[in-house]
Coordinates of all heavy atoms in Angstrom, one line a residue:
V205 N -37.4 5.1 -5.1 CA -38.4 4.7 -6.1 C -39.7 4.3 -5.5 O -40.8 4.7 -5.9 CB -37.8 3.6 -7.0 CG1 -38.9 3.1 -7.9 CG2 -36.7 4.1 -7.9
A206 N -39.6 3.6 -4.3 CA -40.8 3.1 -3.6 C -41.6 4.3 -3.1 O -42.8 4.3 -3.1 CB -40.4 2.2 -2.5
K207 N -40.9 5.3 -2.6 CA -41.5 6.5 -1.9 C -41.9 7.6 -2.9 O -43.0 8.2 -2.7 CB -40.6 7.1 -0.9 CG -41.2 8.1 0.0 CD -40.2 8.6 1.0 CE -40.9 9.7 1.9 NZ -39.9 10.2 2.9
E208 N -41.1 7.8 -3.9 CA -41.3 9.0 -4.8 C -41.4 8.7 -6.3 O -41.6 9.6 -7.1 CB -40.2 10.0 -4.6 CG -40.0 10.4 -3.2 CD -38.7 11.3 -3.0 OE1 -38.4 12.1 -3.9 OE2 -38.0 11.0 -2.0
G209 N -41.3 7.4 -6.6 CA -41.3 7.0 -8.0 C -39.9 7.3 -8.6 O -39.0 7.9 -8.0
Y210 N -39.8 7.0 -9.9 CA -38.5 7.2 -10.6 C -38.2 8.7 -10.7 O -37.0 9.1 -10.8 CB -38.5 6.6 -11.9 CG -38.3 5.1 -11.9 CD1 -39.5 4.2 -12.0 CD2 -37.1 4.5 -11.7 CE1 -39.3 2.9 -11.9 CE2 -37.0 3.1 -11.6 CZ -38.1 2.3 -11.7 OH -38.0 0.9 -11.6
A211 N -39.2 9.6 -10.6 CA -39.0 11.0 -10.7 C -38.2 11.5 -9.5 O -37.5 12.5 -9.6 CB -40.3 11.7 -10.7
G212 N -38.3 10.8 -8.4 CA -37.5 11.2 -7.2 C -36.0 11.1 -7.4 O -35.2 11.8 -6.8
L213 N -35.6 10.3 -8.3 CA -34.1 10.2 -8.7 C -33.7 11.4 -9.5 O -32.4 11.6 -9.6 CB -33.9 8.9 -9.4 CG -34.1 7.6 -8.7 CD1 -34.0 6.4 -9.7 CD2 -33.1 7.4 -7.6
Y214 N -34.6 12.1 -10.0 CA -34.2 13.3 -10.9 C -34.7 14.6 -10.3 O -34.6 15.6 -11.0 CB -34.8 13.1 -12.3 CG -34.1 12.0 -13.1 CD1 -34.5 10.7 -13.1 CD2 -33.0 12.4 -13.9 CE1 -33.8 9.8 -13.8 CE2 -32.3 11.5 -14.6 CZ -32.7 10.1 -14.6 OH -32.0 9.2 -15.3
K215 N -35.1 14.6 -9.1 CA -35.6 15.9 -8.5 C -34.5 16.9 -8.4 O -34.7 18.1 -8.2 CB -36.4 15.7 -7.2 CG -35.5 15.4 -6.0 CD -36.4 15.2 -4.8 CE -35.6 15.0 -3.5 NZ -36.5 14.9 -2.4
G216 N -33.2 16.5 -8.3 CA -32.1 17.4 -8.2 C -31.5 17.7 -9.6 O -30.4 18.3 -9.6
L217 N -32.1 17.4 -10.7 CA -31.5 17.6 -12.0 C -31.3 19.0 -12.3 O -30.2 19.4 -12.8 CB -32.4 16.9 -13.1 CG -31.8 17.0 -14.5 CD1 -30.4 16.3 -14.6 CD2 -32.7 16.4 -15.5
Y218 N -32.2 19.9 -12.1 CA -32.1 21.3 -12.5 C -30.9 22.0 -11.7 O -30.0 22.6 -12.2 CB -33.4 22.1 -12.2 CG -34.4 21.8 -13.2 CD1 -35.8 22.1 -13.0 CD2 -34.2 21.1 -14.4 CE1 -36.8 21.8 -13.9 CE2 -35.2 20.7 -15.3 CZ -36.5 21.1 -15.1 OH -37.5 20.8 -16.0
P219 N -30.9 21.8 -10.3 CA -29.7 22.4 -9.6 C -28.4 21.7 -10.0 O -27.4 22.3 -9.9 CB -30.1 22.2 -8.1 CG -31.2 21.2 -8.1 CD -31.9 21.3 -9.4
L220 N -28.5 20.4 -10.4 CA -27.3 19.7 -10.8 C -26.8 20.3 -12.1 O -25.5 20.5 -12.2 CB -27.6 18.2 -11.0 CG -26.4 17.3 -11.4 CD1 -25.4 17.3 -10.2 CD2 -26.8 15.9 -11.7
W221 N -27.7 20.6 -13.0 CA -27.2 21.3 -14.2 C -26.7 22.7 -13.8 O -25.7 23.1 -14.4 CB -28.5 21.5 -15.1 CG -28.7 20.4 -16.0 CD1 -27.9 19.5 -16.5 CD2 -30.0 20.1 -16.6 NE1 -28.5 18.6 -17.4 CE2 -29.8 18.9 -17.4 CE3 -31.3 20.6 -16.5 CZ2 -30.9 18.3 -18.1 CZ3 -32.3 20.0 -17.2 CH2 -32.1 18.9 -18.0
G222 N -27.3 23.4 -12.8 CA -26.8 24.7 -12.4 C -25.5 24.6 -11.8 O -24.7 25.6 -11.9
R223 N -25.1 23.5 -11.2 CA -23.8 23.3 -10.6 C -22.8 22.8 -11.7 O -21.7 23.4 -11.8 CB -23.8 22.3 -9.5 CG -22.5 22.0 -8.8 CD -22.6 20.8 -7.8 NE -22.5 19.5 -8.5 CZ -22.7 18.4 -7.9 NH1 -23.0 18.4 -6.6 NH2 -22.6 17.2 -8.5
Q224 N -23.2 21.8 -12.4 CA -22.2 21.1 -13.2 C -21.9 21.8 -14.6 O -20.8 21.7 -15.1 CB -22.7 19.7 -13.5 CG -22.6 18.7 -12.3 CD -21.2 18.5 -11.9 OE1 -20.9 18.7 -10.7 NE2 -20.3 18.0 -12.8
I225 N -22.9 22.4 -15.2 CA -22.7 23.0 -16.5 C -21.7 24.2 -16.4 O -20.7 24.3 -17.1 CB -24.0 23.4 -17.2 CG1 -24.7 22.2 -17.6 CG2 -23.7 24.3 -18.4 CD1 -26.1 22.4 -18.2
P226 N -21.9 25.2 -15.4 CA -20.9 26.2 -15.3 C -19.5 25.6 -14.9 O -18.5 26.1 -15.3 CB -21.4 27.1 -14.2 CG -22.9 26.9 -14.2 CD -23.1 25.4 -14.6
Y227 N -19.5 24.6 -14.0 CA -18.3 23.9 -13.6 C -17.5 23.4 -14.7 O -16.3 23.6 -14.9 CB -18.7 22.8 -12.6 CG -17.6 21.9 -12.3 CD1 -16.6 22.1 -11.3 CD2 -17.4 20.7 -13.0 CE1 -15.6 21.2 -11.0 CE2 -16.4 19.8 -12.8 CZ -15.5 20.0 -11.7 OH -14.5 19.2 -11.5
T228 N -18.2 22.6 -15.6 CA -17.6 22.0 -16.7 C -17.1 23.0 -17.8 O -16.1 22.9 -18.4 CB -18.5 20.9 -17.4 OG1 -18.8 20.0 -16.4 CG2 -17.8 20.3 -18.5
M229 N -17.9 24.0 -18.0 CA -17.5 25.1 -18.9 C -16.2 25.7 -18.4 O -15.3 26.0 -19.2 CB -18.6 26.2 -19.0 CG -19.9 25.7 -19.7 SD -21.3 26.9 -19.6 CE -20.7 28.1 -20.7
C230 N -16.2 26.0 -17.2 CA -15.0 26.6 -16.6 C -13.8 25.6 -16.7 O -12.7 26.0 -17.0 CB -15.2 27.0 -15.1 SG -13.8 27.7 -14.3
K231 N -14.1 24.3 -16.4 CA -13.1 23.3 -16.3 C -12.4 23.1 -17.7 O -11.1 23.1 -17.8 CB -13.7 22.0 -15.9 CG -12.8 20.7 -16.0 CD -13.5 19.5 -15.6 CE -12.6 18.2 -15.7 NZ -13.3 17.0 -15.2
F232 N -13.2 23.0 -18.8 CA -12.6 22.8 -20.1 C -12.0 24.0 -20.7 O -10.9 24.0 -21.3 CB -13.6 22.1 -21.0 CG -13.8 20.7 -20.7 CD1 -14.7 20.2 -19.8 CD2 -13.1 19.7 -21.4 CE1 -14.9 18.9 -19.5 CE2 -13.3 18.4 -21.2 CZ -14.2 17.9 -20.2
A233 N -12.7 25.1 -20.6 CA -12.2 26.4 -21.2 C -11.0 26.9 -20.5 O -10.0 27.3 -21.1 CB -13.3 27.4 -21.2
T234 N -11.0 26.9 -19.2 CA -9.9 27.3 -18.4 C -8.7 26.4 -18.6 O -7.5 26.8 -18.8 CB -10.2 27.4 -16.9 OG1 -11.3 28.2 -16.7 CG2 -9.0 27.9 -16.1
F235 N -8.9 25.1 -18.7 CA -7.8 24.1 -18.9 C -7.2 24.4 -20.3 O -6.0 24.5 -20.4 CB -8.4 22.7 -18.9 CG -7.4 21.7 -19.3 CD1 -6.4 21.3 -18.4 CD2 -7.4 21.1 -20.6 CE1 -5.4 20.3 -18.8 CE2 -6.4 20.2 -21.0 CZ -5.4 19.8 -20.1
E236 N -8.0 24.4 -21.3 CA -7.4 24.6 -22.7 C -6.7 25.9 -22.8 O -5.6 26.0 -23.4 CB -8.6 24.5 -23.7 CG -9.3 23.1 -23.7 CD -9.1 22.4 -25.1 OE1 -8.1 22.7 -25.8 OE2 -10.0 21.6 -25.4
T237 N -7.3 27.0 -22.3 CA -6.6 28.3 -22.3 C -5.3 28.3 -21.5 O -4.3 28.9 -21.9 CB -7.6 29.4 -21.8 OG1 -8.8 29.4 -22.5 CG2 -7.0 30.8 -21.9
T238 N -5.4 27.7 -20.3 CA -4.2 27.6 -19.5 C -3.1 26.8 -20.1 O -1.9 27.3 -20.1 CB -4.5 27.0 -18.1 OG1 -5.5 27.8 -17.5 CG2 -3.3 26.9 -17.2

């Protein structure tokens, strides 16, 4: 926060969505189907 402001805490949000959303879609859909 001191160096980059509060935005620095969210600079990885887009790639985090890119990692977590496909992951969770796979996690729940595969689990329920399995």
Side-chain angles (χ1 to χ4, degrees):
V205 172
K207 185 177 180 180
E208 305 171 42
Y210 286 99
L213 295 171
Y214 284 92
K215 74 179 186 181
L217 182 59
Y218 290 165
L220 185 64
W221 275 333
R223 179 189 80 186
Q224 288 296 125
I225 291 176
Y227 166 88
T228 300
M229 291 171 72
C230 180
K231 173 180 178 176
F232 282 86
T234 303
F235 173 79
E236 297 242 27
T237 302
T238 301

